[in-house]
Amino acid sequence: MKDSIRQRLEKLADRYEEVGRQLASPDIDGGSAEFRDLSVEYARLQPLAERLRAFRTLERDLAAARDMLEDEDSSMRALGAEEQDRLRAAMNAAEDGLHALLLPQDPNDERNIFLEIRAGTGGDEAALFAGDLFRMYARHAESKGFGVEILSESPGEHGGYKEIISRIVGRGAFSRLKFESGVHRVQRVPTTEAQGRIHTSTCTVAILPEFDQICDVAINPADLRVDTYRSSGAGGQHVNKTDSAVRITHLPTGIVVECQDERSQHKNRARAMSLLQARLLAAEQKKQQSAQARSRRLQVGTGDRSERIRTYNYPQGRVTDHRINLTLYKLPQIMSGELDELLDALAHEHQAQLLAEIEA
């Protein structure tokens, strides 16, 4: 473990002990605001202090195993070597756990998300790719126990989507997919290509956290134009007879959101307002974080679509994430929703960046 990280952990562990002494002091009022604040801080620091204590124990055990390597008895030396290997692996895992506790937490990590996919360059092939991407994310979400709801869709002329907006519901949905915002590129031979030439098409993906209520950003009702219309989606006779779909235009920014998933106009309006809030917040965060985002390979939370983040090459059966220079020859599995290896690598890289900032 690096000295700078060790010192930071030791300082936080010392603070944990200090807060414990303050809470035990007879001079503090158990019903006071100070007591409540100290209790919250104590609970927050407790996992870190306990893991650091366990890490120290592993260090002592490793030192003892190394001493065994100097023993005259060959069986003891063999036991020491075996213990050393086991303890090193345990220490690596413990160190990773301490690093995770040390990193700042994203307050949006546990939230549901809005997933927006739009066809870019490539015409019909881009729309088909947008459909492939949506199925990929939907299958991954379902494998994690998340719910998937389509809020609005604009089908492509020959399949897929010109645009599709969905809501993914489940604890930790944003944490899982927040690195997916950006331009996704596909290289493949379209079914209509008689010469067998490879075409390149793109789609943009945006991941926006859903907020519980509209309080994080001020939205003036006078700035909104609300239109209702009949849903064009599936739903039988009901959707053809009721103006239940809702489209909201935020006049100052020109942002337009719509929802036609629910049969209730009231529910569609509430869902559309939630999506509008998410987009307005994302736009504001993008402004605030633009300078920081330029210095990072992972543009976390900015929704920046100007940079190609990933290529899906069908002839070679590979997927390459350009931010971390990771190439996996598992295209069929990935398009089937098996994203764990890819998403875990992105999360690990992000943690490494945060840790480097802490060290600096």
Side-chain angles (χ1 to χ4, degrees):
M1 182 183 295
K2 293 184 177 180
D3 289 341
S4 57
I5 298 297
R6 182 65 175 254
Q7 290 170 7
R8 188 177 182 89
L9 289 168
E10 295 285 0
K11 184 176 180 180
L12 290 172
D14 290 343
R15 174 59 183 168
Y16 170 74
E17 298 296 336
E18 179 186 353
V19 172
R21 288 191 294 271
Q22 290 177 315
L23 288 171
S25 171
D27 299 329
I28 190 169
D29 181 1
S32 66
E34 180 186 11
F35 182 85
R36 289 194 299 272
D37 291 343
L38 287 172
S39 297
V40 170
E41 184 179 6
Y42 188 82
R44 178 175 59 83
L45 292 174
Q46 186 174 12
L48 184 146
E50 290 177 349
R51 287 207 180 194
L52 182 58
R53 191 179 304 120
F55 184 80
R56 291 169 180 157
T57 300
L58 288 171
E59 285 184 318
R60 291 193 295 270
D61 292 345
L62 180 59
R66 285 172 176 161
D67 289 340
M68 292 170 64
L69 296 176
E70 306 298 326
D71 198 284
E72 295 181 357
D73 189 337
S74 61
S75 62
M76 291 296 291
R77 292 197 300 271
L79 180 60
E82 183 179 330
E83 276 294 283
Q84 182 175 247
D85 291 342
R86 182 186 67 81
L87 290 167
R88 277 178 177 167
M91 285 184 65
N92 288 337
E95 187 172 345
D96 288 343
L98 284 168
H99 288 168
L101 290 172
L102 196 58
L103 298 177
Q105 298 299 306
D106 187 332
N108 295 325
D109 272 352
E110 297 301 305
R111 295 187 183 276
N112 303 329
I113 64 170
F114 294 110
L115 165 65
E116 304 182 353
I117 304 174
R118 294 179 176 85
T121 57
D124 292 338
E125 179 63 16
L128 291 170
F129 181 48
D132 293 338
L133 286 177
F134 174 71
R135 283 187 291 274
M136 177 186 77
Y137 288 125
R139 288 169 179 169
H140 180 73
E142 289 164 358
S143 74
K144 299 299 177 185
F146 300 155
V148 180
E149 307 168 3
I150 296 178
L151 301 184
S152 67
E153 57 185 292
S154 176
E157 293 181 7
H158 297 91
Y161 302 99
K162 295 177 183 176
E163 174 185 275
I164 181 166
I165 299 174
S166 62
R167 177 173 177 255
I168 296 181
V169 181
R171 184 175 180 180
F174 183 75
S175 173
R176 194 66 192 149
L177 293 171
K178 64 182 177 180
F179 303 113
E180 293 302 289
S181 293
V183 176
H184 295 240
R185 181 177 71 172
V186 63
Q187 296 172 324
R188 62 185 175 186
V189 179
T191 55
T192 56
E193 172 56 60
Q195 304 296 324
R197 291 173 296 187
I198 297 174
H199 287 221
T200 297
S201 306
T202 63
C203 289
T204 58
V205 173
I207 303 292
L208 306 175
E210 179 188 34
F211 294 88
D212 298 328
Q213 53 185 325
I214 299 175
C215 61
D216 299 86
V217 61
I219 299 179
N220 187 344
D223 292 337
L224 303 178
R225 184 177 73 237
V226 181
D227 301 306
T228 59
Y229 59 98
R230 294 184 182 181
S231 172
S232 59
Q237 297 179 353
H238 178 86
V239 295
N240 296 320
K241 294 183 178 180
T242 307
D243 290 342
S244 60
V246 174
R247 180 185 297 111
I248 300 177
T249 304
H250 186 247
L251 300 175
T253 62
I255 293 175
V256 179
V257 297
E258 59 183 31
C259 183
Q260 55 181 300
D261 182 56
E262 301 287 349
R263 293 190 174 186
S264 161
Q265 185 184 116
H266 176 74
K267 289 182 179 179
N268 279 330
R269 181 182 176 119
R271 190 76 74 219
M273 285 294 290
S274 183
L275 176 56
L276 174 61
Q277 179 199 23
R279 285 200 190 167
L280 289 172
L281 280 172
E284 183 61 29
Q285 289 170 352
K286 182 178 178 180
K287 280 189 214 173
Q288 296 173 358
Q289 298 172 358
S290 59
Q292 182 182 25
R294 281 194 296 270
S295 66
R296 289 186 177 184
R297 284 177 290 163
L298 296 180
Q299 299 184 350
V300 180
T302 67
D304 194 331
R305 306 177 190 188
S306 63
E307 181 180 335
R308 180 194 67 203
I309 64 169
R310 190 175 300 147
T311 295
Y312 304 74
N313 186 296
Y314 275 72
Q316 298 178 14
R318 67 171 170 84
V319 174
T320 298
D321 195 289
H322 304 287
R323 296 165 294 178
I324 56 176
N325 296 320
L326 174 65
T327 295
L328 299 174
Y329 288 90
K330 299 180 178 181
L331 179 62
Q333 296 93 320
I334 288 172
M335 298 310 296
S336 296
E338 296 179 20
L339 298 176
D340 286 339
E341 187 173 357
L342 191 57
L343 299 181
D344 289 346
L346 288 164
H348 183 76
E349 177 69 17
H350 178 53
Q351 290 180 354
Q353 291 177 3
L354 293 177
L355 200 59
E357 291 175 9
I358 290 174
E359 292 176 16

